[in-house]
Amino acid sequence: MMFRNNRIQNQQLSLTDMLAFPKKWDLYKKQFSKEYKDKDEDTIHKQIYFSRYAQMEENNKKVKENLVYFKINHTEFSDLTEEEIQAYYLKNPTEKANNFIAGKSPEEQWENFKTEFGKNYPDENEEQMRKKLFTKTLLSVEEHNKKYERGEVTFGVGINHFSDQTPEERARSRGFRLPSTDKK
């Protein structure tokens, strides 16, 4: 298989990781509700996932050695081709936002969000906390898109799978580390 990113193609994995591949791949697909139309498509996405897995392992080893400052974790994008990732991010975000905002109550929007992005929470307290974060994000999206409609900003924004996360969680899941706010 040809990868657009040669850096991904050239990653090496340990024998231990290679022996654990089938189980790790099955866990990944289950965690992110991944299904493919046939065995060939499954194989393509598995190769991409394990190439990125090797990249992640190499990066996280460097964290332990203090050579880099952030860990990388898997996301629902870890098995996607570059084209699939670009297609996801190039969608019109206001169209996605309208799926949530168009005349629906906040409760309906919350339920739609959980369904759209396959969100499940371990307990009621966690869900209520995530619902508050989502509601705050939703209000921000609505306000921003009103500015977009008035021509005050040049782009619209939308709801995405990060909409129930804190800013710190969003940064970590994208591979960034926020500067410390601790005073010394």
Side-chain angles (χ1 to χ4, degrees):
M1 156 152 205
M2 288 296 290
F3 291 95
R4 292 185 80 197
N5 185 340
N6 288 334
R7 191 177 74 189
I8 291 174
Q9 184 181 16
N10 294 326
Q11 297 297 317
Q12 298 296 315
L13 296 170
S14 72
L15 179 59
T16 305
D17 286 333
M18 292 181 78
L19 293 173
F21 278 177
K23 186 175 182 177
K24 288 181 183 194
W25 177 237
D26 289 340
L27 288 171
Y28 172 78
K29 290 192 301 184
K30 185 176 180 180
Q31 179 182 3
F32 293 107
S33 303
K34 298 286 189 166
E35 293 181 17
Y36 306 100
K37 65 181 179 186
D38 57 35
K39 188 174 179 161
D40 289 339
E41 185 179 350
D42 184 90
T43 301
I44 289 168
H45 288 277
K46 184 187 335 184
Q47 289 174 338
I48 294 168
Y49 170 77
F50 285 118
S51 293
R52 290 198 175 116
Y53 178 88
Q55 215 176 11
M56 181 189 76
E57 288 296 306
E58 184 178 310
N59 178 85
N60 293 347
K61 193 183 309 177
K62 289 178 182 177
V63 169
K64 291 177 183 176
E65 298 167 2
N66 293 319
L67 298 173
V68 296
Y69 300 105
F70 57 90
K71 289 184 85 172
I72 299 174
N73 294 314
H74 289 293
T75 69
E76 64 268 29
F77 304 114
S78 296
D79 70 317
L80 300 182
T81 65
E82 295 297 322
E83 292 83 7
E84 290 169 326
I85 292 170
Q86 287 177 6
Y88 177 86
Y89 281 111
L90 293 177
K91 288 179 183 174
N92 181 352
T94 54
E95 178 183 318
K96 189 85 165 174
N98 287 337
N99 290 337
F100 293 94
I101 297 168
K104 295 181 181 178
S105 72
E107 191 61 38
E108 288 174 311
Q109 294 177 60
W110 170 244
E111 293 302 322
N112 189 24
F113 170 75
K114 291 190 308 183
T115 301
E116 179 87 15
F117 294 103
K119 298 287 187 164
N120 294 307
Y121 304 99
D123 57 51
E124 185 64 29
N125 290 335
E126 179 76 12
E127 181 164 346
Q128 289 306 312
M129 190 258 310
R130 297 300 174 178
K131 184 176 181 180
K132 287 177 185 177
L133 291 165
F134 169 79
T135 301
K136 184 177 178 182
T137 301
L138 184 65
L139 293 172
S140 177
V141 164
E142 289 173 334
E143 185 60 36
H144 181 93
N145 287 339
K146 286 177 187 174
K147 290 178 182 177
Y148 176 70
E149 290 170 6
R150 293 189 303 260
E152 296 173 16
V153 295
T154 58
F155 59 92
V157 295
I159 299 298
N160 61 34
H161 60 286
F162 297 119
S163 296
D164 66 340
Q165 296 181 350
T166 66
E168 294 80 13
E169 288 171 326
R170 290 177 191 168
R172 276 195 308 270
S173 63
R174 292 177 176 160
F176 299 106
R177 190 175 85 165
L178 294 178
S180 174
T181 56
D182 297 336
K183 295 184 179 181
K184 295 184 180 184

